[in-house]
Amino acid sequence: MKVAIFTDTFLPQINGVTNTLSKLAEYYEANNIKYLIFAPDNDVEKNGNCNIQRFFSIKFFLYPECRIAFPNTFRLSTLLSDFKPDIIQLMTEFNMGLAGLKYGKKHGIPTVSNYTTNFCQYLNYYNLDFLNNYIWTYLRWFHNQNDLTLCPSEEIKDYLKNKGISNTDIFSRGIDSEKFNPELRSEDLRRQLGINNKLVFLYVGRVSPEKDLDILIDAYREVYNKYGDKIALVVTGEGPYLDKCKNDFPKGTIFTGFKKGKELAQIYASSDIFVFPSSTETFGNVVLEAMASGVPVIGADAGGVKNTIKHKINGLKFKARHVNELIDLMVELIEDEDLRNTLSINARNTGLRRSWNKVFNGLMDTYNDILLNKKNSDISA
């Protein structure tokens, strides 16, 4: 099988799409599946991998770390004609994804789209909600052009159905449970951060309005007023909301900046409770990272997070944007060590069951079904 992948975001950008793509590339190479990735260029590194073809791009105004690509149609067509893909995988819906869709339609190659980002929900946080109808009109057109649209959770599958996007299936996400591991807990790191002998809450993710951090600010301030220096909060990540967070979170809140690799894994494992207020996630990779690290999770009962957390089994859920419910759950985990321990064990087991290999094997089954259907349609035609 040969797979051509089109994406509007790729390494060195770090997000759910790029994380999935990097793992998928590793899987393709390990299983001798030929692939070619078409992605935006960037300001950091030159292309040194023949499997990755980059195209001129500019920064996206809402997300400066993301790019808007302007693919050269002649170069793209030449590369694809030489490669001869069996299937085209569209990880994103905009310029690169649209280029892949057009090529697939023109040459009769099956295309599979992925819904990974709740763009219209994000617009509400930036006072751009007047664009919602226009974007949904485009998204419906784009996804319904494909042989199949994949989404990361049942919640999002139902959401897309209600929005008029048909023929969907699940392409979930996995976790590297060796990389994210409770054994990486580091007392040295806790001392360096000044959180030894404290119960530590952790947030990891983009520090931006659509992550509902205003809810976490209000909740943690209330909890901190009750428990003081017995607790601490670590915020790991960067984004446009960072200055407000530094100003509004209680004194002593620790901001580590952006972390990745072993440093990030150690921060997870060295914390005691992961709190993730975002109600806009299509999946929420960070929730699975925390679980694999054996850290009890509190998350919003919304989006993809809703499907990952089983309340009082491997985590706790609160009604999205309900500050008082979040406060109550934070207090409950502070007070109930037995519950923390139970959630920690079950969270780790959840991570162990969510291997990338299992996820990608399922994806390959999906692609083989699509190719078989095409072959049968060609024969009957």
Side-chain angles (χ1 to χ4, degrees), residues 202-246:
L202 172 68
Y203 168 85
V204 174
R206 192 167 192 265
V207 184
S208 53
E210 73 275 8
K211 299 298 184 181
D212 292 323
L213 287 170
D214 58 324
I215 300 302
L216 182 55
I217 289 170
D218 292 343
Y220 182 68
R221 187 187 292 124
E222 189 73 23
V223 174
Y224 184 80
N225 287 340
K226 180 175 182 178
Y227 292 96
D229 290 339
K230 293 180 181 178
I231 64 172
L233 172 67
V234 175
V235 176
T236 295
E238 296 176 351
Y241 212 57
L242 187 58
D243 287 342
K244 181 171 176 58
C245 286
K246 288 182 176 179

Side-chain angles (χ1 to χ4, degrees), residues 130-155:
F130 65 91
L131 294 173
N132 277 345
N133 288 338
Y134 299 104
I135 291 182
W136 269 119
T137 297
Y138 172 75
L139 291 176
R140 271 191 295 272
W141 173 85
F142 178 88
H143 287 292
N144 286 331
Q145 293 288 309
N146 291 275
D147 294 77
L148 184 67
T149 295
L150 298 174
C151 44
S153 62
E154 289 290 344
E155 182 74 8

